[in-house]
Amino acid sequence: MKNNKLLISLLSLPLLATPFVAIADDDNVPPIKSLIVLEECGACHLAFQPAFLPKKSWQKMMGELENHFGEDASLDADSIAKIENYLVANASRKKFRGDKAPQRITELRWFTHEHSEREAKNMMKKLKVKSLVDCAACHKGAEMGIYDDD
Amino acid sequence: MRNLLIIISILAFFPAMAASAGPREDVIAQLETLAKSDDANFSGFDAARGKKLFSAKFSTGKPETPSCTSCHSTSPKNAGETRAGKAIDPMALSKTSDRYTDPKKVEKWFRRNCNSVLGRECTPLEKGDFLAFMISQ
């Protein structure tokens, strides 16, 4: 069953022109190993793993933290530099079509595809999840970069 | 050798601890100095004013966050929640005993949250009043 699913998703990947191929081998991403990133970027939500977005996304985001998705998430220049270095060094190396610096993981095509199925919708209702941004509500191993835990 | 080092560092640390009343008191004292330099008639922080600030609704900040209570829940004794659904420990000192002890952390969140809610920095008076309210809770 798991194998079937894997086969299907592998087959459908090129059709979706997804940038996610690099990590789709086991649906997991490397966990964050920087304390300052875990602390500063994990204060309001899960610290999203840098491998979900390309370098340009992180550079843009780190340049406008005082207006971060409708909130002030500003930091001192020293912390910004350290965090940006880590995010850029561990960013996705895939080519992103269209927007070269997407800011939301939840708006990437592979993501909307994976999460538009009935399973995710039902889970959202059952667990009373506020927003798809709350990855750890459904993926218990999200902090470790494990997303194939269902 | 290693034990000796540990003992020396403990001994060196103690006088430093005794010299100040504690990191939370330092945070307040610092704000008092600033409040006094803003207003010569400053006569101390007031928990009742802090409570008003905590509950007030503002239209001058970002539309997503009109009030401190948007994230910290309407009672300081209850846990809050960020917009992304992550839990925030209660702000009342009686519920979360290690609050307001790291001056950098306190300043960072006042800067961000006042800017998000009020659309400007909070004054030293507002910050001190807010902390007085939370410490009294």
Side-chain angles (χ1 to χ4, degrees), chain A residues 53-60 94-103:
Chain A
L53 293 172
K55 185 171 98 177
K56 285 204 167 76
S57 299
W58 297 123
Q59 287 166 333
K60 177 162 190 260
K94 282 279 138 192
K95 267 214 159 27
F96 278 62
R97 305 226 182 130
D99 188 355
K100 296 279 191 284
Q103 297 294 290

Side-chain angles (χ1 to χ4, degrees), chain A residues 5-33:
Chain A
K5 209 175 71 188
L6 191 67
L7 190 64
I8 292 173
S9 34
L10 283 179
L11 285 174
S12 59
L13 284 177
L15 294 176
L16 293 164
T18 167
F20 198 54
V21 197
I23 5 183
D25 50 349
D26 53 6
D27 299 310
N28 296 328
V29 293
I32 295 175
K33 294 207 181 105

Side-chain angles (χ1 to χ4, degrees), chain A residues 40 42 44 71-72 74 130, chain B residues 81-83 108 111 115:
Chain A
E40 297 297 348
C44 300
E71 251 168 61
D72 183 336
S74 58
K130 233 166 129 174
Chain B
E81 198 181 61
T82 65
R83 283 172 50 224
K108 176 177 77 186
R111 182 188 71 235
N115 193 27

Side-chain angles (χ1 to χ4, degrees), chain B residues 20-65:
Chain B
S20 75
R24 190 175 300 114
E25 287 75 8
D26 286 351
V27 169
I28 307 278
Q30 173 78 28
L31 287 171
E32 265 165 3
T33 310
L34 292 171
K36 246 176 239 156
S37 77
D38 281 356
D39 175 8
N41 295 324
F42 169 75
S43 62
F45 294 128
D46 175 13
R49 277 196 311 252
K51 181 178 182 174
K52 257 192 212 147
L53 172 65
F54 176 70
S55 313
K57 291 226 168 358
F58 296 88
S59 51
T60 43
K62 302 189 193 284
E64 293 87 350
T65 51

